[in-house]
Amino acid sequence: MRDAGLQPPNISGPLDRALAVLRHMAGAQEATATDIAAAAGTSRSTAYRLAERLTSWGFLQLADEPGRWMLGPEALRLGLAVLSRSQVAQVAPELVRHLMELTRETTGVAIPVHDSMVFVHRELGPIPSPATTRVGTTRPMHCTAVGKAWLAGLSGPRLAKVLEYLPLRAYTPATITTAAALGRELAVIRRRGWAVDDGEMSPSLGSCAAAVFGPDGEPVAAVSVWGPRTRITRRLERIGPVVASTAEALTLRLGRSTDRRDPPLHVHGDDSGPATARPPVPVR
């Protein structure tokens, strides 16, 4: 989420202007020359030159729509270097891998960054999947299982603040595009314990996710299973509890990761003992 307490220095030279643009792009999906000029405090002509220079270095790239830019691979590479040091990325791999083995589907964990979820770890399942999600892939919050799981875990005041700026863009006919409908969906997720994407982001894709909580009780990530829509949706009653169990185990591990005396936690039923109460049976 945005850090309102971090104030940038006054823009006084080319380097400051470039950094101001990158800071702006971190909170925007795309930007026009006008947006870049405003962020850098310069003219449109200078903004064009600045954007071209940043593009040549790989920090920006042209978007699909002419006259618009988005973050490029070099900026994403720097971001991934930071994400790889996050506590979630460090403790999740073993549990996410075990989830993949139980479900035989592709699994991953994502964290919130501004108004999107960013995947910081992925385990490819043995069964083919239409999804191309990789580490560093961003996904909208309102129409993905990881995003809705994270939103559902937020406390009331924090959720209200997020919903003030969260775009509710339609990706498919099944996408939720109103705050009222999203609120009803989040209430269902809280009661059930896991979120579902049934063709909301892509008509061919289905996913299931559950929130991971930090020591303060607020959600910090979401664990997910995804694959072909029909294959996932017909197995949701079996996959859902296993995903929720994995999220609970990761929540416990995050809460204890600062105490080196604690033994490693595993999803219930392995040699180290249970992390939650649900049985660890493979999902068919």
Side-chain angles (χ1 to χ4, degrees), residues 80-118:
L80 286 176
V82 175
L83 292 177
S84 67
R85 297 197 301 270
S86 73
Q87 195 176 28
V88 172
Q90 291 176 13
V91 302
E94 183 181 2
L95 293 171
V96 173
R97 187 178 309 113
H98 189 44
L99 178 61
M100 179 271 291
E101 293 168 349
L102 291 176
T103 61
R104 295 183 61 79
E105 299 286 357
T106 298
T107 59
V109 61
I111 64 173
V113 177
H114 301 293
D115 57 7
S116 301
M117 299 296 290
V118 180

Side-chain angles (χ1 to χ4, degrees), residues 11 17 20-21 24-25 31-51 69:
I11 298 175
R17 287 194 286 272
V21 171
H24 172 76
M25 295 299 297
T32 64
T34 300
D35 298 329
I36 292 174
T42 188
S43 66
R44 276 172 54 90
S45 60
T46 301
Y48 270 109
R49 291 194 296 271
L50 184 58
W69 287 267

Side-chain angles (χ1 to χ4, degrees), residues 6-266:
L6 183 60
Q7 299 298 324
N10 293 328
I11 298 175
S12 59
L15 178 58
D16 286 338
R17 287 194 286 272
L19 293 174
V21 171
L22 293 177
R23 179 185 171 92
H24 172 76
M25 295 299 297
Q29 295 292 326
E30 297 178 0
T32 64
T34 300
D35 298 329
I36 292 174
T42 188
S43 66
R44 276 172 54 90
S45 60
T46 301
Y48 270 109
R49 291 194 296 271
L50 184 58
E52 290 173 353
R53 191 64 176 163
L54 287 170
T55 299
S56 69
W57 274 88
F59 287 99
L60 295 183
Q61 65 183 24
L62 290 171
D64 294 334
E65 185 178 343
R68 304 183 74 89
W69 287 267
M70 58 191 296
L71 284 175
E74 283 300 311
L76 296 176
R77 188 171 67 86
L78 286 176
L80 286 176
V82 175
L83 292 177
S84 67
R85 297 197 301 270
S86 73
Q87 195 176 28
V88 172
Q90 291 176 13
V91 302
E94 183 181 2
L95 293 171
V96 173
R97 187 178 309 113
H98 189 44
L99 178 61
M100 179 271 291
E101 293 168 349
L102 291 176
T103 61
R104 295 183 61 79
E105 299 286 357
T106 298
T107 59
V109 61
I111 64 173
V113 177
H114 301 293
D115 57 7
S116 301
M117 299 296 290
V118 180
F119 279 86
V120 295
H121 186 73
R122 181 196 68 170
E123 292 288 342
L124 283 173
I127 307 177
S129 171
T132 58
T133 301
R134 299 179 175 87
V135 172
T137 295
T138 62
R139 289 288 182 259
M141 289 183 176
H142 69 293
C143 61
T144 58
V146 287
K148 290 187 291 182
W150 182 78
L151 289 170
L154 291 173
S155 59
R158 193 173 174 199
L159 175 61
K161 186 175 182 180
V162 171
L163 293 179
E164 287 179 0
Y165 64 80
L166 191 68
L168 302 179
R169 171 187 168 188
Y171 290 87
T172 75
T175 303
I176 293 174
T177 56
T178 68
L182 181 58
R184 292 191 293 270
E185 176 78 359
L186 297 181
V188 171
I189 294 167
R190 293 186 195 101
R191 292 194 298 270
R192 184 174 54 204
W194 65 85
V196 174
D197 169 9
D198 186 4
E200 295 175 52
M201 178 69 189
S202 168
S204 63
L205 184 65
S207 62
C208 178
V212 176
F213 295 86
D216 63 354
E218 289 287 353
V220 295
V223 174
S224 179
V225 169
W226 66 90
R229 181 181 180 182
T230 54
R231 193 169 74 206
I232 294 296
T233 54
R234 68 179 170 81
R235 303 167 67 211
L236 277 174
E237 292 305 314
R238 297 185 180 95
I239 291 175
V242 179
V243 173
S245 169
T246 302
E248 291 168 10
L250 184 50
T251 294
L252 288 173
R253 181 170 285 190
L254 285 174
R256 300 186 183 186
S257 63
T258 56
D259 188 345
R260 294 173 182 259
R261 296 169 299 174
D262 286 332
L265 295 174
H266 300 278

